[in-house]
């Protein structure tokens, strides 16, 4: 017998955010199930009314629902999964800072999000039990670290979701970063424009603009249905304020693991003035095996998109090496050594020979000689 469902109230009457499996069940988005309650007890749950309205009630395979609704499979930990899959802790010289690459650092401003993705690589570190925002003392120490390392050119503000902080707090942070002469770029990683577009106000956009700094916002979206009119309007408020937008997506089984779905997503982002930046292979976070797929499948998808989707709409397919060793591109290869020069495969699968030594720039190209 299937678990019973409650009759769903109109989504317009839902509270702004549903924060438990029980609340999601009362809204008709989940069955009443003790296993789902156990998932919610272990990992944070939050689904905004905006995202709930995009879901097909009672359809767990819906690509929006699959990303945000608790799933009993999250309790299935695998031996290779890690509580800190990308090695934040190993590269944290002071609280609030992760310094993995020479010229940039992560600043973990907050520990909460507007919505909790079920595949999150920081799922063991974020949520209601986490520090809501860095204390003044910890933030002072983090910014002192940045100021004391002149090689730091970029500060990536993350969390949690930094757009959960108030516009006033973000404006104060930007002013303090602008006072550090060697910091030139500030990048915010956020789900808020998709999960809670009403938070992207003119005041927030204004807070991100400070003389002496260039601001980027990396927006996380995994399916074109996430980008409805309200979300596009929120993104336009940022773009119209002169803020550069890039897109980050995660390749997820059952959500976007086919070429047509990815093409629609990437085109929708470009139409909203967001340049697709990274397509992440899923990280080895606990309880996320049902989202992962073989690297070979991701390479097949990227090969299928090459040449059929504008270069503006193609991100780099990357793997964040477990243990904190950084991101590397893992897309398909198109060129390999041949006895004479190189063998190059085009986007249609046809193979061509390229021999750079056959073309003498001083003598000219024989094919064009009169």
């Amino acid at each position: 017998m299937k678990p019973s469902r409650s009759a769903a109230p109109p989504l317009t009457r839902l509270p702004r955010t549903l924060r438990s499996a029980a609340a999601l069940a009362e809204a008709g988005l989940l069955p009443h199930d003790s296993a789902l309650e156990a998932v919610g007890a272990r990992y944070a749950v939050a689904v905004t009314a905006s995202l709930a309205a995009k879901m097909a009630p009672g359809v767990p395979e819906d690509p929006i629902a699959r990303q945000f609704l608790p799933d009993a499979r999250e309790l299935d930990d695998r031996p290779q999964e890690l509580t800190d899959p990308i090695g934040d802790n190993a590269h944290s010289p002071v609280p609030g800072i992760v310094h993995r690459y020479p010229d940039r650092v992560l600043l973990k401003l907050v520990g909460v999000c507007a919505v909790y993705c079920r595949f999150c690589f920081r799922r063991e570190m974020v949520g209601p039990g986490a520090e809501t925002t860095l204390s003044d003392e910890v933030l002072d120490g983090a910014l002192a670290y940045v100021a004391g390392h002149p090689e730091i050119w970029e500060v990536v503000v993350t969390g949690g979701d930094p757009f959960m902080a108030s516009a006033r707090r973000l404006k104060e942070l930007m002013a303090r970063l602008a006072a550090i002469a060697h910091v030139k770029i500030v990048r915010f990683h956020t789900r808020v424009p998709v999960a809670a577009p009403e938070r992207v106000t003119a005041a927030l956009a204004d807070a991100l603009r400070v003389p002496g700094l260039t601001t980027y916002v990396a927006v996380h979206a995994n399916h074109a249905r996430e980008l409805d009119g309200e979300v596009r309007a929120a993104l336009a408020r940022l773009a119209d304020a002169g803020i550069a937008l890039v897109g980050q997506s995660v390749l997820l089984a059952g959500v976007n693991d086919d070429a047509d779905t990815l093409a629609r997503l990437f085109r929708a982002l470009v139409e909203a003035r967001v340049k697709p930046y990274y397509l992440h292979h899923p990280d080895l976070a606990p309880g996320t095996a049902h989202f992962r797929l073989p690297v070979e499948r991701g390479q097949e998808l990227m090969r299928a998109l090459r040449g059929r989707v504008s270069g503006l709409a193609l991100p780099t397919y990357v793997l964040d090496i477990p243990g904190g060793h950084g991101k590397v591109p893992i897309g398909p290869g198109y060129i390999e050594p041949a006895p004479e020069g190189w063998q190059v495969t085009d986007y249609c699968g046809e193979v061509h020979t390229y021999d750079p030594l056959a073309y003498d720039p001083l003598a000219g190209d024989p094919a064009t000689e009169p």
Side-chain angles (χ1 to χ4, degrees), residues 4-228:
S4 63
R5 293 183 185 276
S6 300
L11 290 175
T12 54
R13 298 181 186 174
L14 291 177
R16 178 166 292 182
T17 300
L18 301 164
R19 299 190 179 277
S20 68
L24 291 164
E26 290 301 316
L29 294 169
L30 279 180
H32 288 283
D33 188 332
S34 59
L36 299 178
E37 294 284 356
V39 172
R42 178 170 177 182
Y43 300 116
V45 173
V47 177
T48 60
S50 176
L51 281 172
K54 297 182 175 87
M55 297 178 186
V59 184
E61 65 270 20
D62 174 78
I64 309 300
R66 187 169 167 83
Q67 294 182 65
F68 305 110
L69 298 186
D71 187 310
R73 289 173 290 183
E74 294 177 57
L75 300 176
D76 178 18
D77 291 351
R78 302 295 176 88
Q80 71 271 30
E81 293 175 339
L82 305 168
T83 57
D84 181 15
I86 68 168
D88 279 358
N89 292 336
H91 295 274
S92 183
V94 298
I97 290 288
V98 177
H99 196 173
R100 184 178 292 109
Y101 301 102
D103 71 339
R104 56 204 180 277
V105 296
L106 300 183
L107 173 62
K108 293 182 172 182
L109 185 65
V110 300
V112 295
C113 299
V115 65
Y116 294 101
C117 303
R118 308 321 303 167
F119 48 87
C120 178
F121 65 90
R122 290 199 178 110
R123 62 192 331 221
E124 301 276 5
M125 308 175 191
V126 299
E131 187 72 29
T132 303
T133 60
L134 292 185
S135 68
D136 290 343
E137 181 180 4
V138 172
L139 181 59
D140 288 347
L143 294 180
Y145 179 87
V146 175
H149 288 76
E151 72 274 20
I152 297 173
W153 171 77
E154 179 184 22
V155 174
V156 181
V157 188
T158 182
D161 194 314
F163 278 14
M164 294 299 287
S166 68
R168 176 192 58 78
R169 185 170 175 82
L170 293 175
K171 194 173 187 70
E172 290 173 354
L173 173 65
M174 291 294 288
R176 295 183 70 178
L177 290 172
I180 302 174
H182 52 268
V183 173
K184 302 298 182 184
I185 308 295
V186 180
R187 184 184 354 149
F188 290 86
H189 283 203
T190 182
R191 248 315 199 175
V192 162
V194 169
E198 70 279 359
R199 290 187 65 92
V200 184
T201 61
L204 185 145
D206 182 67
L208 305 182
R209 298 184 301 172
V210 175
L213 291 177
T214 299
T215 304
Y216 283 76
V217 171
V219 180
H220 181 172
N222 296 322
H223 196 280
R225 273 177 42 207
E226 296 174 43
L227 304 174
D228 63 8

Side-chain angles (χ1 to χ4, degrees), residues 101 316-321 325-331:
Y101 301 102
T316 302
Y317 179 39
V318 296
L319 173 71
D320 216 326
I321 303 171
H325 303 288
K327 297 181 185 70
V328 290
I330 57 172

